[in-house]
């Protein structure tokens, strides 16, 4: 097995685990109500206004997935739904809700799907640490293989099991006699027969 | 190759290698599991985390005027909350079914339409042409749609008599799934 194949395999394994994690992940809150306060409690931060409010709206909107055009964030999408959600994000920030409260509020309705960045909890850790882990394992495999090949640099390349060896002789007895004589002359083996292997 | 000793050294074993099999299985087995679990699923249908929970509270004005419809006002009998729009073709397809069901079930089930991203005139002319049997509610800024986690229209929520969400239907309803989900919400056939 080559290190490249091993690394590829490990990456595929981690990607598969991440997929399972994403499919299994579900929101856990159980509070009812459309009023954000009934879902995530009273605002935990300071109310925002002016330029700071605009900037935070873009930031928090950038962390929310637009439910209509699923590849875009709420901040980037021109869809009416995204515009409405962004307006609500702005309103909640102006009331002093924190980023985490706002994301949790939308997650209550849409599930973890609505977050563009999977939160660091449960199996989601794999998504964040998986690539680093794969890099570490792959690096270790590469170092090991390089060290081993350097150590055994003089070793010859592999030979097929049925390839002629040093004691192979042709079937023709006349020819075999010549081969043994050549071996005797070239290697100094008595009668052209190789010494017993150690 | 000048050394004859070398030719017999380092020949690899072509025999079965259990390590290769183990690592291969470690890689392949999770992939196969993920494929088996997910291939039958439509990735565009995302389950609602609200099913089994109390419905989000709301208070919306009916298009025809009158008292606002609230979650509390729906309690006491099962309810059907249909998010729809006049520009949506599947909504047009399921509309006669919902009107007929609302008429035949009468007081036993409360049907409510929630208008999604549409103009009031368009909805009025749609209802004038296609008939109506239950109130359609105006949802400014789609606040209620967002609270219910609406991705598009039509999407229909089924509530039991306590205001708890028993099911969500994505896409146009057909008679069989309407009947099944009404039963789930506590409507005796």
């Amino acid at each position: 097995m080559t290190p490249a194949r091993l690394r590829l395999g490990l990456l595929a394994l981690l990607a598969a685990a991440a997929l399972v994690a994403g499919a299994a992940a579900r929101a856990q809150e159980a509070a009812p109500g459309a009023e954000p306060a009934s879902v995530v409690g009273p605002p935990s931060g300071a109310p925002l206004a002016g330029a700071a409010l605009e900037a935070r709206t873009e930031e928090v909107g950038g962390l929310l997935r637009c439910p209509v055009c699923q590849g875009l964030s709420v901040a980037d999408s021109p869809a009416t739904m995204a515009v409405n959600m962004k307006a609500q994000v702005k309103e909640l920030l102006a009331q002093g809700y924190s980023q985490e409260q706002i994301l949790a509020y939308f997650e209550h309705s849409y599930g973890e799907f609505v977050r563009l960045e999977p939160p660091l909890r449960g199996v989601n850790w794999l998504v964040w640490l998986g690539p680093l882990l794969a890099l570490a394992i792959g690096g270790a495999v590469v170092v090991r293989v390089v060290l081993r090949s350097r150590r055994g640099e003089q070793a010859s390349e592999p030979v097929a099991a049925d390839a002629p060896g040093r004691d192979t002789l042709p079937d023709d007895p006349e020819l075999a006699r010549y081969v043994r004589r050549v071996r005797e002359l070239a290697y100094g083996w008595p009668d052209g027969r190789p010494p017993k292997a150690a | 190759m000048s050394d004859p000793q070398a030719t017999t050294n380092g020949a690899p074993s072509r025999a079965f290698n259990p390590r290769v099999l183990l690592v291969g299985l470690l890689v392949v087995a999770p992939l196969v599991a993920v494929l088996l679990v997910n291939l039958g699923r439509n990735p565009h249908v995302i389950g609602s985390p609200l099913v089994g929970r109390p419905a989000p509270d709301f208070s919306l004005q009916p298009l025809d005027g009158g008292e606002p419809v609230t979650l509390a006002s729906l309690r006491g009998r099962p309810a059907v909350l249909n998010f729809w729009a006049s520009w949506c073709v599947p909504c047009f397809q399921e509309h006669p079914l919902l009107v007929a069901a609302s008429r035949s079930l009468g007081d036993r089930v409360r049907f409510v339409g929630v208008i999604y991203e549409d103009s009031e005139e368009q909805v009025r002319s749609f209802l004038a042409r296609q008939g109506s049997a239950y109130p359609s509610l105006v949802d400014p800024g789609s606040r209620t749609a967002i609270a219910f986690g609406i991705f598009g229209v039509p999407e229909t929520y089924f509530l039991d008599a306590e205001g708890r969400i028993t099911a969500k239907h994505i896409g146009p309803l057909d008679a069989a799934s309407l009947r099944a989900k009404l039963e789930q919400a506590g409507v005796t056939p």
Side-chain angles (χ1 to χ4, degrees), chain A residues 58-80:
Chain A
E58 289 298 322
E59 280 172 29
V60 178
L63 295 172
L64 282 170
R65 188 196 302 271
C66 163
V68 182
C69 35
Q70 301 183 348
L72 283 179
S73 81
V74 161
D76 296 329
S77 167
T80 314

Side-chain angles (χ1 to χ4, degrees), chain A residues 19-100:
Chain A
L19 277 171
V20 174
R26 286 288 176 268
Q28 275 117 44
E29 302 90 324
E35 283 303 308
S38 67
V39 178
V40 294
S44 71
L48 297 178
L53 176 59
E54 299 294 335
R56 286 297 287 150
T57 303
E58 289 298 322
E59 280 172 29
V60 178
L63 295 172
L64 282 170
R65 188 196 302 271
C66 163
V68 182
C69 35
Q70 301 183 348
L72 283 179
S73 81
V74 161
D76 296 329
S77 167
T80 314
M81 189 59 150
V83 171
N84 285 333
M85 280 172 77
K86 199 169 147 184
Q88 194 168 5
V89 168
K90 189 173 175 181
E91 200 176 284
L92 293 172
L93 284 168
Q95 289 170 23
Y97 283 96
S98 70
Q99 171 178 311
E100 192 42 45

Side-chain angles (χ1 to χ4, degrees), chain B residues 80 97-98 101 111 158 173-183:
Chain B
V80 176
L97 176 72
L98 287 167
F111 280 77
F158 292 80
L173 277 159
D174 54 77
S177 46
L178 177 61
R179 201 179 311 118
K181 279 164 179 158
L182 281 173
E183 272 179 48

Side-chain angles (χ1 to χ4, degrees), chain B residues 19-189:
Chain B
R19 268 175 66 200
V20 174
L21 180 73
L22 183 73
V23 175
L25 272 180
L26 271 174
V27 171
V28 172
L31 281 174
V32 170
V34 167
L35 287 177
L36 282 179
V37 169
N38 288 310
L39 270 185
R41 262 178 13 133
N42 178 353
H44 298 289
V45 175
I46 294 133
S48 172
L50 292 172
V51 173
R53 294 189 187 167
D57 205 0
F58 62 87
S59 174
L60 298 176
Q61 205 63 46
L63 189 63
D64 303 330
E67 288 291 294
V69 174
T70 64
L71 179 66
S73 74
L74 296 181
R75 288 217 174 92
R77 56 195 154 158
V80 176
L81 237 72
N82 176 238
F83 289 83
W84 72 286
S86 69
W87 46 260
C88 141
V89 176
C91 306
F92 171 82
Q93 290 166 345
E94 69 174 1
H95 186 73
L97 176 72
L98 287 167
V99 169
S102 163
R103 286 198 176 123
S104 73
L105 287 161
D107 284 346
R108 291 157 63 202
V109 180
R110 185 81 188 269
F111 280 77
V112 174
V114 182
I115 301 161
Y116 176 82
E117 292 180 15
D118 206 347
S119 77
E120 296 192 11
E121 308 93 87
Q122 297 275 4
V123 172
R124 278 206 185 85
S125 82
F126 177 99
L127 293 174
R129 273 180 285 124
Q130 307 301 326
S132 78
Y134 49 85
S136 279
L137 312 179
V138 183
D139 181 15
S142 289
R143 284 302 154 90
T144 303
I146 293 171
F148 274 84
I150 296 298
F151 289 95
V153 277
E155 288 184 11
T156 309
Y157 277 97
F158 292 80
L159 276 57
D160 66 14
E162 281 78 49
R164 187 170 288 272
I165 293 171
T166 57
K168 177 186 187 182
H169 186 91
I170 295 172
L173 277 159
D174 54 77
S177 46
L178 177 61
R179 201 179 311 118
K181 279 164 179 158
L182 281 173
E183 272 179 48
Q184 226 181 318
V187 183
T188 43

